Amino acid sequence: MKFDFKELPGHSRDYLRPAVPVRLEGLARAPQLCLLDTGALHNRFAAWTATAAGIDLAGADRERVAIGGFVAIARQAPVQLTLGEVTWEAPVWFCDPWPLAFHLLGQEGFFRWFKVQLRTAAYEIEITPEA
Amino acid sequence: MNQVLAKIAQHEFAFDGQEIERRLANVVPDPIGEHFVVVGGRRFPPKQVIGLLTGLDRADFNTHQARRVLSRLGFTVGRRSRESQGASPNRPGPHGGREADLLRAFRGRWVAQRGLEVIVAADTPEAVLQWLERHNQSADAMFRVPGDEAEATGVAPA
């Protein structure tokens, strides 16, 4: 699967981010833009997505995390994610508050399942499921 | 922004540009077909705007009547098929900055995008999802257009 880097507008300059659209179960009409974050251990999504998708977080594991300059309460649930034609099940930590423009795909819930090639000079992303 | 008197579907109406901006401030645009009008930095189908202002059924008037009234009021009207591609080989990015330019008007808002086009923008993610459901539309991607650097990069504010 090939994707372009995402162009996002900024004040003094624009941003080019390696982000891809991931469908969360229950939100089929609106794939969520997710940053490929090799530094993140876990998938981290905004908590509103769990509510909108009908994912029950009552009784879920809960932790306090610091992410890129903010602190959030994160609750974990195993969910079904889809990228292109590939669907996999992975834990997602749903975080509140979530001030980022996108969600994060991390090592445990994403990179362990895919081979990811970034060609930053060409603004291209190529993602292949691991065999 | 001025005022315009117009006769539509045998009825006379007085339109006020500032009043239109006020009334549309909290209205989520319908899907754009070929034609659009820009009100408050957002694109609306011209017939949605005139239908909302007059209470007329949209079948009672045509797009060109709606465009003419809104254009006389000073609003920018356009056609999607005539939009410039706008990509610049001198700007970085897979689309030469065109995507960033298209998103610039939506900074700080939630958007659903199909291709490069924003099909709906709203102040909350729930409003975007409701709009997609109501109009039986699907997006290629949904996200919040960053309103500042921290939202785009995840860095702590200085």
Side-chain angles (χ1 to χ4, degrees):
Chain A
M1 297 174 277
K2 288 189 175 178
F3 301 90
D4 290 327
F5 273 46
K6 194 76 185 166
E7 296 182 359
L8 295 170
H11 281 287
S12 55
R13 62 187 172 89
D14 296 334
Y15 302 100
L16 293 162
R17 307 295 270 152
V20 295
V22 172
R23 284 203 304 278
L24 173 66
E25 62 177 77
L27 289 182
R29 292 183 184 277
Q32 299 294 306
L33 190 67
C34 296
L35 184 73
L36 303 175
D37 187 354
T38 56
L41 185 58
H42 301 296
N43 293 335
R44 299 201 184 274
F45 280 42
W48 70 262
T49 58
T51 306
I55 296 167
D56 184 11
L57 296 177
D61 288 348
R62 179 188 173 100
E63 66 180 20
R64 188 168 179 268
V65 293
I67 305 164
F70 65 94
V71 174
I73 300 298
R75 287 175 294 171
Q76 187 256 62
V79 298
Q80 209 168 65
L81 301 171
T82 302
L83 176 63
E85 300 298 314
V86 180
T87 296
W88 75 105
E89 186 166 309
V92 169
W93 290 84
F94 294 96
C95 303
D96 184 34
W98 189 259
L100 299 180
F102 31 67
H103 315 285
L104 304 180
L105 295 175
Q107 296 169 29
E108 286 299 319
F110 177 72
F111 287 98
R112 66 169 294 179
W113 304 109
F114 294 92
K115 176 183 175 186
V116 179
Q117 186 174 36
L118 297 182
R119 296 184 63 223
T120 304
Y123 315 113
E124 288 178 359
I125 305 162
E126 185 159 3
I127 299 176
T128 312
E130 291 283 11
Chain B
M1 210 60 77
N2 53 13
Q3 296 186 331
V4 163
L5 292 173
K7 192 170 184 179
I8 303 174
Q10 312 302 321
H11 300 280
E12 291 202 346
F13 297 96
F15 297 97
D16 180 286
Q18 289 182 338
E19 174 66 15
I20 291 172
E21 289 190 343
R22 271 195 301 274
R23 289 191 59 181
L24 291 180
N26 294 315
V27 174
V28 178
D30 284 348
I32 303 293
E34 176 67 13
H35 299 269
F36 64 84
V37 57
V38 181
V39 180
R42 295 182 297 156
R43 291 180 176 190
F44 291 81
K47 290 184 73 173
Q48 179 190 10
V49 176
I50 295 299
L52 186 76
L53 296 170
T54 62
L56 292 172
D57 189 295
R58 294 187 203 183
D60 291 340
F61 58 95
N62 62 39
T63 299
H64 295 288
Q65 289 174 294
R67 276 178 58 112
R68 196 176 313 122
V69 169
L70 294 164
S71 178
R72 285 170 59 199
L73 282 160
F75 293 108
T76 299
V77 295
R79 297 178 71 149
R80 292 198 325 186
S81 59
R82 291 185 184 169
E83 288 184 285
S84 159
Q85 292 303 299
S88 164
N90 298 321
R91 290 176 63 188
H95 308 289
R98 181 166 173 249
E99 182 174 34
D101 288 344
L102 287 169
L103 292 171
R104 206 173 304 282
F106 303 102
R107 290 175 56 176
R109 308 190 78 210
W110 290 89
V111 299
Q113 203 182 25
R114 189 179 302 134
L116 297 189
E117 184 194 355
V118 171
I119 57 174
V120 60
D123 292 329
T124 65
E126 292 82 5
V128 170
L129 294 174
Q130 286 165 7
W131 185 94
L132 292 170
E133 192 68 36
R134 190 166 61 246
H135 294 284
N136 195 26
Q137 300 279 317
S138 291
D140 290 337
M142 175 182 167
F143 54 98
R144 179 178 158 92
V145 181
D148 58 36
E149 184 176 7
E151 290 179 15
T153 63
V155 299

